[in-house]
């Protein structure tokens, strides 16, 4: 196990609602990255937080936002949910904030938007 | 054998066989590559990485080969075991500066006893 935990494990929402997903990083790590993984696809980078600041963002609209807290845990918020937001959301913790340091993934939160 | 399923290419092998999983990467400027293994219900797990100044790197039972000319990576697993059954992803990025991982689509490996 990586020591990265995510909550909740599963979530069902309806279109237009808002959702908050949570991630606790591995001890000693100061960086958290979030990914969206659609069924049958590889993870797609959403954004990365390093020392409480967003330091990189993928091709996702502003309704995807995040936070990192002083203990380096993190939240992913998605507003105005769309059906296509249904996916597995993965968080990965690491040390360094360069974008490509070895990342340790949590088990993910599976979001279903109806 | 290897087949293209509805969502993922799938490689089916017998226990004890050697497996070769292939990946074509997209960015000719990428110079750092990582293989991840994702088991059902879990997040991706780091297996092995390679920088572009190498064409081969070996780990425990795994070998990664890099061919920059044709933008191709392969992951070789020796003496494949049922516990190796998973989806395998290659990821690419730039080693210098800030660069994020770009994952490929993945290959499902099924190992039968």
């Amino acid at each position: 196990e990586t020591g990265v935990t995510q909550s909740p494990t599963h979530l069902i929402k309806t279109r237009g609602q808002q959702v908050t997903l949570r991630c606790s990083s591995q001890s000693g790590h100061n960086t958290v990255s979030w990914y969206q993984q659609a069924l049958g696809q590889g993870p797609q980078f959403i954004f990365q937080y390093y020392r409480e600041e967003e330091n990189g963002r993928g091709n996702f609209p502003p309704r995807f936002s995040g936070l990192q807290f002083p203990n380096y845990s993190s939240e992913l918020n998605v507003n105005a949910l769309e059906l296509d937001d249904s996916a597995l959301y993965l968080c990965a913790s690491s040390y360094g904030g360069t974008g490509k340091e070895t990342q340790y993934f949590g088990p993910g939160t599976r979001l279903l938007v109806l | 054998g290897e087949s293209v399923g509805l969502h993922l290419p799938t490689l089916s092998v017998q226990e004890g066989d050697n497996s070769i999983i292939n990946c074509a990467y997209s960015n000719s400027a990428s110079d750092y590559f990582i293989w991840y293994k994702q088991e059902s219900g879990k997040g991706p797990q780091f297996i092995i990485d390679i920088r572009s100044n190498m064409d081969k790197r070996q780990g425990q039972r795994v070998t990664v080969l890099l061919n920059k000319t044709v933008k191709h990576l392969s992951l070789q697993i020796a003496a494949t075991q049922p516990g190796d059954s998973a989806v395998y992803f290659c990821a690419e990025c730039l080693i210098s500066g800030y660069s994020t991982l770009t994952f490929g689509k993945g290959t499902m490996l099924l190992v039968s006893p």
Side-chain angles (χ1 to χ4, degrees):
Chain A
E1 299 302 322
T2 62
V4 179
T5 60
Q6 293 185 244
S7 63
T9 55
H10 296 81
L11 200 52
I12 300 175
K13 291 285 190 178
T14 55
R15 195 169 48 181
Q17 284 189 309
Q18 179 265 343
V19 69
T20 297
L21 310 182
R22 295 179 174 85
C23 172
S24 291
S25 56
Q26 189 174 97
S27 177
H29 286 178
N30 57 11
T31 306
V32 172
S33 304
W34 285 93
Y35 293 82
Q36 181 194 68
Q37 187 176 23
L39 197 62
Q41 302 291 323
Q44 298 242 332
F45 175 74
I46 303 175
F47 44 56
Q48 184 180 74
Y49 278 83
Y50 172 61
R51 293 182 176 177
E52 303 178 59
E53 298 280 337
E54 183 182 298
N55 73 332
R57 189 178 183 93
N59 189 25
F60 280 81
R63 61 189 183 84
F64 286 77
S65 63
L67 283 174
Q68 188 179 32
F69 300 100
N71 67 354
Y72 303 125
S73 65
S74 177
E75 285 183 355
L76 164 66
N77 299 291
V78 187
N79 294 322
L81 283 166
E82 301 176 359
L83 298 180
D84 284 349
D85 295 334
S86 295
L88 180 69
Y89 287 85
L90 294 162
C91 124
S93 83
S94 57
Y95 183 84
T98 65
K100 66 261 182 177
E101 65 275 3
T102 301
Q103 301 188 16
Y104 297 84
F105 284 83
T109 294
R110 187 160 296 282
L111 173 64
L112 177 61
V113 182
L114 301 176
Chain B
E2 185 170 347
S3 63
V4 177
L6 187 60
H7 293 291
L8 286 174
T10 300
L11 177 64
S12 299
V13 301
Q14 296 282 327
E15 182 178 2
D17 286 352
N18 295 331
S19 302
I20 300 176
I21 300 170
N22 296 304
C23 172
Y25 62 91
S26 58
N27 186 354
S28 56
S30 294
D31 52 9
Y32 180 51
F33 306 89
I34 307 169
W35 279 99
Y36 282 89
K37 171 187 180 184
Q38 187 173 22
E39 297 174 271
S40 180
K42 296 185 179 180
Q45 176 188 359
F46 173 93
I47 302 173
I48 191 168
D49 59 0
I50 188 168
R51 297 192 179 192
S52 61
N53 60 352
M54 304 171 71
D55 52 21
K56 180 179 180 178
R57 189 167 189 219
Q58 289 184 290
Q60 187 177 14
R61 273 200 315 119
V62 294
T63 300
V64 55
L65 299 177
L66 173 63
N67 184 331
K68 296 181 287 294
T69 303
V70 294
K71 296 194 294 184
H72 184 267
L73 274 172
S74 67
L75 177 70
Q76 300 178 359
I77 305 174
T80 314
Q81 303 166 0
D84 294 327
S85 294
V87 178
Y88 289 81
F89 295 98
C90 67
E92 60 183 291
C93 69
L94 300 172
I95 197 68
S96 60
Y98 183 84
S99 173
T100 58
L101 295 177
T102 299
F103 283 80
K105 189 174 180 180
T107 296
M108 179 174 290
L109 176 66
L110 297 175
V111 183
S112 50

